[in-house]
Amino acid sequence: MTPADGELRQDAAGAETARVLTPRDFDAPRIMLAGTVDYAMYERFRQQLAQAPAEGLIVTELSTLGGDPEVARMMGEDIRFHSDIGPRRRFVFLGKAAIYSAGATFMSFFARHNRYLTRGARVMIHERKMDKPLHITGPLTTCIASIKAVLHELEHSIAIQNEGFENLIRGSDITMDEVLKHAPENWYLEAQEAKARGLIQDVI
């Protein structure tokens, strides 16, 4: 489905394309977020999303050093859901200065042609972290169950993390092997590099 303003269209092969935006398009973002990705940010996000118009361009501007990846996924799912139910709206991401960790997770929910960064901005991709002491006490069978529970938590956290990585790099020339190699040591991509690798549409 195509928005009324003709932002989206299909090329000869049937693939979805979009008008490349200019700095003027980012003059008045409808959603402006900065700081730690947490439940306070989510509340601000929901308030601004509720006030966004029912059609046209809706720019979401973000600058963050990271935060809660599950909150980032919640915000991303809201973007996905509202994109599906409101095809006359085009949700666009604008990353300013720093898009670290959970910020990159949030960006992954926007289609590649709807991702933009400001000049000099950095995207940082890293693995999720866990800080949980493992205290083993009690009957042996109970100890095994406790260890398995932590192992299952790790396995599912890795699966969720990798789903996010796959969404982030879809349409780019970055491979999953490359992400898994660099993510444990924090991988920084400057805006122009992110554009050259196909991670974003353009640099503003």
Side-chain angles (χ1 to χ4, degrees):
M1 288 179 283
T2 304
D5 60 4
E7 293 285 358
L8 301 179
R9 55 189 180 276
Q10 289 187 335
D11 61 20
E16 188 179 76
T17 61
R19 175 176 70 85
V20 177
L21 303 179
T22 67
R24 186 178 297 276
D25 292 306
F26 296 93
D27 182 52
R30 296 293 184 174
I31 301 174
M32 301 179 67
L33 304 169
T36 302
V37 179
D38 56 15
Y39 285 99
M41 176 180 282
Y42 183 63
E43 183 176 353
R44 297 195 303 273
F45 167 75
R46 289 289 302 182
Q47 290 172 349
Q48 294 178 73
L49 179 61
Q51 296 170 359
E55 62 179 63
L57 188 65
I58 300 176
V59 173
T60 299
E61 178 186 291
L62 174 67
S63 180
T64 181
L65 296 179
D68 189 332
E70 295 307 321
V71 173
R73 292 180 65 221
M74 288 167 58
M75 295 195 306
E77 288 293 351
D78 285 335
I79 291 293
R80 181 193 60 78
F81 175 72
H82 283 84
S83 296
D84 288 344
I85 65 172
R88 298 175 69 85
R89 298 197 285 185
R90 179 182 175 186
F91 288 92
V92 174
F93 177 89
L94 176 63
K96 295 180 69 175
I99 306 301
Y100 292 176
S101 181
T105 297
F106 180 52
M107 186 176 77
S108 73
F109 282 85
F110 292 78
R112 194 201 65 83
H113 60 251
N114 286 330
R115 300 176 192 166
Y116 290 77
L117 295 175
T118 58
R119 282 178 287 182
R122 262 71 176 176
V123 175
M124 191 268 277
I125 303 168
H126 72 59
E127 284 195 342
R128 290 188 175 204
K129 292 178 172 61
M130 176 178 282
D131 182 7
K132 174 180 291 188
L134 180 59
H135 180 63
I136 303 174
T137 184
L140 296 181
T141 52
T142 303
C143 292
I144 292 174
S146 298
I147 293 171
K148 284 185 175 180
V150 174
L151 178 60
H152 291 161
E153 182 179 357
L154 281 168
E155 290 172 340
H156 283 279
S157 293
I158 291 171
I160 292 170
Q161 165 192 275
N162 290 350
E163 288 172 6
F165 288 160
E166 289 170 352
N167 288 336
L168 181 65
I169 65 175
R170 185 172 293 116
S172 74
D173 67 4
I174 298 174
T175 66
M176 194 63 179
D177 286 343
E178 192 174 4
V179 174
L180 295 178
K181 175 184 176 182
H182 294 296
E185 56 196 32
N186 294 357
W187 190 17
Y188 292 83
L189 292 98
E190 191 272 336
Q192 292 294 346
E193 182 182 5
K195 177 183 177 181
R197 298 299 306 273
L199 197 65
I200 64 170
Q201 176 65 42
D202 208 354
V203 177
I204 299 300

